[in-house]
Amino acid sequence: MKSIVATGQKVHIAEGIKPTIKPSYLVIKTLHSAISPGTELSLIGASDNREITLGYSAVGIVMECGEGVEDYQVGDTVACYGAPYVGHCEFLVVPITLCAKVPAGVEPKEAALAGIGAIAIHALRIAKLEFGETVVVVGLGLLGQMIAKIAEAAAYDVVAFDVQAERVAMLRDKGTIRSFSTLAEMESEIAKCTNNHGADAVLLCAGGKRSALTHQSLEWIRSQGKVVIVGDIEPDFPRELLFGKEAQILISRAGGPGRYDQVYEKQAIDYPYGYVRWTEGRNVAEYLRLVHDKRIDVQAFLTDEVGFHDAPAAYDELIQKKSTALTKIITY
């Protein structure tokens, strides 16, 4: 079985042993997987002295069901999410808690983005917005774009910002999202649409570790507003503004409750529905519902498709910034 891995800051295809089935797991033959540039380029940079399997969001066909699996059968098309169970690999063995059936009418390539969709959904849940509230999405890479689209589908009032005009234009084409490439324009829109009160929440989806955006985000929110850290930004906020607005600083971790929990993931034991309504697996399913019901349109993310064996070259393009694509969909 072949997988896409990083070693010594280089991406290549490695040969490994085909995974075997476990109780409460599925063996999945991969159809597509999605490259998440923000996360994966960081992993490549950290691969000096070790081999790291890349990827975490995929779709495929169930080839085998483990003991105790009742809700899936061989031949089902399923989306799956979460390393180390999901990667850019020909075959995957994934706990059922990290899988969701792909509804008829949803393209497999759309379903390959389910992991990114789950992360976006969880970020919005962390913000705990109410109907009609204003959210500002800063950083319009793949995740920021997805968050803005889902926020609009949830009827939040969405303002978006990125310094790259082409990313801003992607959100201007459709819907009611107001997107801007200058801070002055964005700040003017926030003042206008909130009657100078400030946004209810800012979701920071940009990277760059220490950033002036952390300080600025507090200026954009209302009294007792929220800032949610989604991207790779250090939580370096000035106390004076925090205190003055009694602001809440929150951080969003991956796709939802269950992530990094060995019982939920490795042992595939789900949380009770009545106590944990939205797990990472249920967020995956919710992304698929949004696509199926045409509440969100992700076609703009599917324009760059690469064959599995051409993937190392595609990563080189992303690393050298020769590609402006938000993601690349790998086809097996």
Side-chain angles (χ1 to χ4, degrees):
M1 182 194 77
K2 294 180 172 62
S3 303
I4 297 171
V5 303
T7 310
Q9 300 185 354
K10 298 289 184 182
V11 177
H12 61 97
I13 295 173
E15 190 74 47
I17 299 171
K18 183 178 176 181
T20 55
I21 194 64
K22 302 176 184 179
S24 299
Y25 278 60
L26 304 175
V27 174
I28 299 167
K29 183 177 182 180
T30 312
L31 294 173
H32 304 284
S33 58
I35 294 176
S36 178
T39 299
E40 294 185 49
L41 296 189
S42 295
L43 289 174
I44 293 167
S47 65
D48 285 331
N49 303 310
R50 57 183 176 138
E51 182 177 279
I52 301 174
T53 301
L54 300 174
Y56 62 80
S57 184
V59 63
I61 304 295
V62 175
M63 305 300 290
E64 191 176 352
C65 298
E67 181 184 348
V69 173
E70 297 178 352
D71 295 334
Y72 297 89
Q73 59 185 13
V74 172
D76 284 344
T77 302
V78 297
C80 50
Y81 156 67
Y85 313 98
V86 179
H88 302 310
C89 309
E90 291 180 308
F91 292 90
L92 304 165
V93 175
V94 187
I96 56 174
T97 47
L98 299 179
C99 297
K101 287 184 184 180
V102 178
V106 174
E107 297 176 23
K109 286 194 293 183
E110 294 175 312
L113 293 166
I116 291 92
I119 294 169
I121 288 169
H122 181 59
L124 286 165
R125 295 198 195 286
I126 289 293
K128 293 184 178 173
L129 293 162
E130 295 186 8
F131 178 79
E133 289 190 331
T134 301
V135 58
V136 178
V137 181
V138 178
L140 299 177
L142 176 60
L143 184 55
Q145 297 264 344
M146 188 75 80
I147 288 172
K149 287 175 179 288
I150 294 171
E152 182 189 37
Y156 303 142
D157 192 20
V158 185
V159 178
F161 170 78
D162 196 289
V163 294
Q164 297 187 41
E166 62 271 19
R167 293 185 175 185
V168 169
M170 290 178 68
L171 287 177
R172 281 182 178 166
D173 292 342
K174 298 177 181 178
T176 61
I177 299 168
R178 285 97 68 213
S179 54
F180 305 93
S181 58
T182 70
L183 287 176
E185 288 179 305
M186 183 198 70
E187 290 170 348
S188 176
E189 180 60 31
I190 293 171
K192 177 183 173 183
C193 70
T194 67
N195 197 24
N196 292 313
H197 289 295
D200 297 284
V202 172
L203 273 64
L204 293 176
C205 304
K209 297 296 183 181
R210 294 193 178 274
S211 169
L213 291 171
T214 55
H215 292 237
Q216 292 167 311
S217 64
L218 291 175
E219 298 171 359
W220 304 328
I221 60 172
R222 63 170 170 83
S223 178
Q224 298 190 336
K226 305 162 191 171
V227 176
V228 182
I229 301 170
V230 185
D232 187 14
I233 283 183
E234 290 291 333
D236 180 23
F237 296 88
R239 185 183 185 281
E240 185 176 349
L241 272 174
L242 273 173
F243 180 83
K245 290 191 173 181
E246 202 173 22
Q248 297 181 54
I249 306 301
L250 305 164
I251 193 160
S252 177
R253 186 179 71 175
R259 192 66 181 120
Y260 309 116
D261 181 344
Q262 292 290 300
V263 174
Y264 177 90
E265 293 189 336
K266 190 172 183 178
Q267 296 181 39
I269 298 175
D270 201 357
Y271 297 142
Y273 190 92
Y275 290 92
V276 185
R277 176 64 182 88
W278 293 109
T279 62
E280 55 182 333
R282 293 194 263 275
N283 283 335
V284 167
E286 178 61 11
Y287 162 81
L288 295 172
R289 184 187 74 85
L290 291 172
V291 175
H292 176 265
D293 293 350
K294 302 193 183 306
R295 302 296 181 93
I296 61 172
D297 182 354
V298 297
Q299 288 298 314
F301 305 146
L302 307 177
T303 56
D304 279 50
E305 187 176 346
V306 297
F308 178 79
H309 292 283
D310 296 324
Y315 277 98
D316 287 340
E317 290 181 2
L318 291 168
I319 292 168
Q320 297 167 18
K321 300 190 185 302
K322 292 181 179 179
S323 173
T324 58
L326 296 180
T327 181
K328 291 179 183 286
I329 304 298
I330 300 173
T331 299
Y332 293 72

